[in-house]
Amino acid sequence: MAGSLKDQLLNMGLVDQKKAKQADTEKRKQNKKAKKARKSGQQVVDTQAEKKLALEEQRKAKQEHDRELNRQRDEERRNKEIEAQCRQMITQQQIELPEDAEVSYNFVYDNKVKTMYVTSLIQGQLFRGQVAIAALDEKFYLIPDKFAEKIEQRLPNYVIRVQPEEEPEEDDPYADYKIPDDLMW
């Protein structure tokens, strides 16, 4: 297999005649430029050094861009993991409501009033803060408070809590007459 690399590539069919001529002319042009640069002095070294610096800067910029993309991917992956953990907690720890739940419980979700039918026992637990409501895919689940706290730490918009009652004012004449939470109109 004697001959130049160009001849070998032509014989194998990897390069056609046109590309081989183009490569030859390009090589001649580079040689001419190099000869002129040598005649004029130090310019060959300067252009090569500039090329190396430019390549180094491009490499650094690409590395920084890749780091940023990796950081974003990691953050997205972490967010998905947290969401999956919260979903799993909600589905595993949900409190099943009996079918005969007849007390309607109203709460605010996404600036809209929603209604959930619960038992009177669960309604009391909701008022005391022992049970919370978790929103998942526009469905609402009742979960124990300790799991609601864990979910709320990770994704606060998944948990809906009953607002505690405000303290009455000191000069309120009806402060002694407390309205029960479970009063039905």
Side-chain angles (χ1 to χ4, degrees):
M1 231 178 172
S4 68
L5 178 62
K6 178 179 78 171
D7 293 336
Q8 291 176 14
L9 291 174
L10 283 171
N11 290 337
M12 286 191 216
L14 296 174
V15 178
D16 60 355
Q17 193 67 31
K18 185 178 179 183
K19 286 186 181 180
K21 284 184 181 180
Q22 243 180 356
D24 283 341
T25 56
E26 189 67 33
K27 187 176 179 182
R28 272 189 247 115
K29 287 180 183 178
Q30 285 178 357
N31 286 340
K32 277 186 175 181
K33 285 182 182 178
K35 283 181 185 178
K36 285 183 181 179
R38 274 189 233 125
K39 287 181 182 176
S40 65
Q42 193 71 7
Q43 288 181 346
V44 173
V45 177
D46 290 343
T47 57
Q48 289 177 353
E50 288 174 4
K51 285 181 184 179
K52 284 181 182 179
L53 285 174
L55 288 174
E56 185 68 22
E57 287 179 19
Q58 286 176 349
R59 187 182 59 78
K60 286 181 181 179
K62 185 175 181 346
Q63 283 178 343
E64 186 62 34
H65 179 70
D66 291 345
R67 278 191 208 109
E68 180 64 26
L69 287 176
N70 287 339
R71 187 192 60 75
Q72 287 175 356
R73 268 190 235 114
D74 290 345
E75 189 175 322
E76 287 175 13
R77 184 180 40 80
R78 257 185 266 117
N79 290 339
K80 285 181 182 179
E81 287 174 0
I82 288 171
E83 187 174 346
Q85 289 171 355
C86 291
R87 285 175 176 274
Q88 183 179 14
M89 244 189 283
I90 290 170
T91 55
Q92 287 180 350
Q93 302 301 326
Q94 71 177 335
I95 298 170
E96 295 293 328
L97 289 173
E99 292 182 20
D100 63 339
E102 56 195 39
V103 178
S104 67
Y105 179 75
N106 298 320
F107 58 95
V108 177
Y109 176 73
D110 200 22
N111 293 328
K112 295 178 183 171
V113 176
K114 301 288 183 172
T115 301
M116 175 183 269
Y117 288 95
V118 296
T119 62
S120 58
L121 176 70
I122 292 177
Q123 183 184 27
Q125 290 176 338
L126 280 165
F127 289 135
R128 287 189 298 276
Q130 296 170 337
V131 174
I133 300 172
L136 183 64
D137 298 329
E138 297 298 318
K139 290 184 180 178
F140 303 103
Y141 302 93
L142 295 173
I143 56 173
D145 183 54
K146 65 180 182 178
F147 293 105
E149 287 176 5
K150 290 178 182 179
I151 292 170
E152 202 169 28
Q153 289 172 356
R154 297 173 184 164
L155 296 170
N157 57 343
Y158 273 39
V159 178
I160 303 164
R161 292 195 178 269
V162 176
Q163 297 298 324
E165 291 184 16
E166 296 178 7
E167 292 295 319
E169 296 178 15
E170 290 181 19
D171 59 344
D172 185 12
Y174 297 105
D176 294 335
Y177 305 102
K178 193 168 186 174
I179 299 173
D181 289 332
D182 59 349
L183 181 66
M184 302 302 286
W185 295 95

